[in-house]
């Protein structure tokens, strides 16, 4: 019997392109136990979805797989019901359809201005760093406004985001000099000031939603702060990487094919499936469970490889190719079940507005002469630098 390869996102080959490894693992054993890692790895769409929907797999206990010494504070990401249900319900009004419709009124012109600046910069024919020159500044602006931060605070927000994002990466080196912890403390202190101000002067933003939940007794002060921190840490890099990964995929996809995709949402969903910022999530079984013909014992760790599920040929036709008009697309890039990403509507609208703002016909981009650089973090998956330029003589 063939030995199932071990998933290690820190390996250079796996970090650059994990999909061949996913394919090998899925074909040999979609649910496989690796004794050296003391962990089950799940790679098929069917079984990943089953774990995410099954309350017997604990997200809270799954945090024990983190190699970092610093534990994440209690939040929607690190708790199970009933705490998870309470925290999620308190933040949910910020992402309801009516709230998203109101956010669209200010987000659309913000995104359009950013796209115009990008197209102007590309017009010279010189290369532009898509990440540093467009995706990250735009994500900071949009997320800051969504939370309710003041424009002069955005540079600080960007600095905090860069420092504290390491907390999402379960394999990152410990914060030996305490820089990330200090930046996190500064960020939370600022959020505390805003939450107090919103309790006196409500506004139409996410921090007001959390302030109201605290006033109503649904959130303790620490809960409100940790939730605000999660919205920041869990939003900034994934929004940036959603755009960076999508553009990287576009570089190999003719603009005409993207145009033929029809609805913007359809194209966005395909980019989300093809190379998702969040590639895996961890759980721990709280009781014995049969999964894919295997017995997962109580206390066993389980890693759900979302990126592998999104390329499962049993669920997706031609999974290793961008198909802009893919009509059936049940990807797991936002998870599933009780822990499905609450911020998914914001991310989808952000990406759709960018596509909507691009000139028609879509401009043709190509990779710049400077090599692209992947961010060293394993979570989220994205680029530190992605140089692009417009193809001369094309729209």
């Amino acid at each position: 019997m063939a030995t199932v390869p071990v998933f290690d996102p820190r390996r250079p080959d796996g970090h650059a392109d994990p999909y061949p490894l996913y394919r090998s693992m899925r074909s040999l054993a979609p649910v496989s136990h690796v004794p050296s890692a003391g962990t089950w790895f799940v790679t098929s769409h069917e079984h990943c979805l089953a774990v995410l929907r099954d309350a017997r797999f604990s997200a809270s206990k799954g945090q024990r797989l983190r190699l970092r010494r610093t534990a994440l504070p209690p939040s929607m990401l690190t708790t199970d019901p009933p705490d998870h249900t309470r925290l999620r319900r308190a933040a949910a009004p910020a992402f309801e359809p009516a709230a998203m419709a109101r956010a669209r009124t200010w987000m659309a012109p913000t995104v359009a201005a950013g796209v115009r600046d990008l197209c102007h910069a590309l017009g010279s024919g010189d290369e532009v760093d898509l990440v540093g020159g467009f995706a990250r500044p735009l994500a900071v602006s949009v997320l800051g406004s969504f939370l309710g931060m003041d424009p002069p605070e955005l540079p600080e927000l960007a600095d905090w985001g860069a420092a504290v994002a390491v907390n999402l990466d379960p394999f990152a080196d410990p914060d030996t000099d305490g820089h990330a912890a200090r930046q996190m403390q500064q960020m939370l202190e600022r959020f505390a000031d805003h939450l107090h101000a919103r309790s006196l002067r409500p506004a139409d933003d996410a921090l007001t939603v959390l302030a109201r939940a605290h006033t109503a007794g649904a959130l303790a002060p620490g809960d409100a702060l940790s939730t605000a921190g999660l919205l920041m840490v869990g939003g900034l890099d994934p929004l940036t990487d959603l755009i960076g990964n999508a553009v990287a995929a576009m570089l190999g996809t003719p603009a005409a094919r993207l145009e033929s995709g029809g609805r913007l949402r359809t194209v966005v969903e395909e980019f989300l499936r093809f190379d998702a910022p969040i590639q895996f999530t961890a759980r721990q079984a709280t009781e014995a469970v049969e999964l894919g013909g295997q017995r997962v014992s109580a206390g066993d760790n389980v890693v759900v490889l979302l990126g592998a599920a999104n390329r499962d040929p049993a669920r997706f036709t031609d999974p290793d190719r961008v198909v802009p008009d893919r009509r059936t697309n049940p990807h797991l890039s936002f998870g599933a079940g009780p822990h499905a990403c609450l911020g998914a509507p914001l991310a989808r609208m952000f990406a759709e507005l960018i596509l909507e703002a691009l000139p028609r016909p879509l401009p043709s981009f190509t990779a710049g002469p400077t090599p692209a650089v992947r961010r060293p973090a394993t979570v989220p998956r994205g680029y530190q630098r992605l140089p692009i330029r417009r193809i001369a003589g094309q729209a």
Side-chain angles (χ1 to χ4, degrees):
M1 181 177 178
T3 301
V4 178
V6 177
F7 170 74
D8 183 350
R10 296 166 296 181
R11 284 175 44 183
D13 55 342
H15 186 69
D17 183 5
Y19 297 104
L21 176 62
Y22 293 158
R23 186 163 53 247
S24 179
M25 294 174 70
R26 191 175 51 239
S27 64
L28 290 170
V31 179
S32 61
H33 186 253
V34 179
S36 61
T39 302
W40 291 89
F41 292 95
V42 187
T43 50
S44 72
H45 187 281
E46 174 190 359
H47 299 119
C48 285
L49 185 59
V51 171
L52 294 173
R53 287 177 169 174
D54 194 328
R56 294 174 294 179
F57 292 99
S58 166
S60 174
K61 292 182 177 0
Q63 294 301 310
R64 296 173 186 174
L65 273 169
R66 287 174 59 85
L67 298 184
R68 287 177 57 83
R69 297 174 197 158
T70 52
L72 292 174
S75 70
M76 287 178 281
L77 186 66
T78 62
T79 54
D80 297 318
D83 285 338
H84 172 266
T85 306
R86 175 179 58 83
L87 294 170
R88 186 181 179 96
R89 184 180 295 127
F95 300 94
E96 290 175 347
M100 288 292 95
R102 293 193 302 273
R104 189 182 185 98
T105 62
W106 60 258
M107 194 183 299
T110 298
V111 168
V115 170
R116 283 195 302 271
D117 290 344
L118 173 66
C119 291
H120 178 74
L122 288 166
S124 65
D126 295 335
E127 77 170 21
V128 173
D129 175 19
L130 188 282
V131 175
F134 173 68
R136 190 167 187 84
L138 187 58
V140 168
S141 179
V142 165
L143 188 60
S145 297
F146 178 75
L147 289 170
M149 307 294 283
D150 298 323
E153 296 176 296
L154 295 185
E156 284 183 299
L157 193 69
D159 291 341
W160 291 331
V164 306
V166 69
N167 288 295
L168 274 181
D169 189 348
F171 301 108
D173 292 331
D175 182 24
T176 52
D177 65 358
H179 177 66
R182 289 191 297 274
Q183 293 292 92
M184 176 68 84
Q185 184 61 33
Q186 291 177 18
M187 183 178 74
L188 292 181
E189 287 174 359
R190 186 66 58 81
F191 285 160
D193 292 341
H194 278 284
L195 287 168
H196 176 68
R198 293 307 188 283
S199 67
L200 302 174
R201 296 181 299 279
D204 189 11
D205 54 46
L207 290 177
T208 295
V209 169
L210 299 182
R212 284 174 174 157
H214 168 56
T215 301
L219 291 179
D223 292 334
L225 280 178
S226 66
T227 302
L230 177 62
L231 295 181
M232 171 61 191
V233 176
L236 182 55
D237 276 357
L239 284 178
T240 302
D241 297 332
L242 168 57
I243 303 310
N245 293 354
V247 170
M250 283 176 66
L251 296 179
T253 304
R257 280 191 53 227
L258 293 177
E259 291 281 17
S260 69
R263 295 177 63 244
L264 295 179
R265 171 62 61 86
T266 303
V267 180
V268 168
E269 297 302 316
E270 179 64 351
F271 283 135
L272 281 163
R273 180 199 69 83
F274 187 74
D275 196 14
I278 306 300
Q279 290 277 307
F280 57 88
T281 187
R283 298 288 189 269
Q284 187 179 99
T286 58
E287 60 182 86
V289 181
E290 182 175 324
L291 184 68
Q294 304 288 338
R295 177 184 169 84
V296 179
S297 299
D300 282 359
N301 296 318
V302 179
V303 171
V304 179
L305 292 171
L306 306 172
N310 286 346
R311 299 281 189 101
D312 187 349
R315 195 66 186 86
F316 302 96
T317 302
D318 206 0
D320 293 317
R321 187 172 70 91
V322 174
V323 181
D325 58 353
R326 191 184 297 276
R327 301 300 177 183
T328 302
N329 197 343
H331 64 75
L332 300 182
S333 299
F334 292 122
H339 282 83
C341 178
L342 185 62
L346 178 67
R348 285 185 164 111
M349 184 166 67
F350 180 62
E352 286 176 22
L353 287 172
I354 291 174
L355 280 177
E356 189 176 273
L358 285 169
R360 297 298 190 274
L362 284 173
S364 296
F365 304 125
T366 187
T370 305
V373 179
R374 280 276 181 190
R375 192 186 311 111
T378 58
V379 179
R381 171 176 166 79
Y383 288 89
Q384 185 169 302
R385 178 175 171 79
L386 182 62
I388 64 171
R389 61 181 178 82
R390 178 168 286 179
I391 298 176
Q394 295 193 30

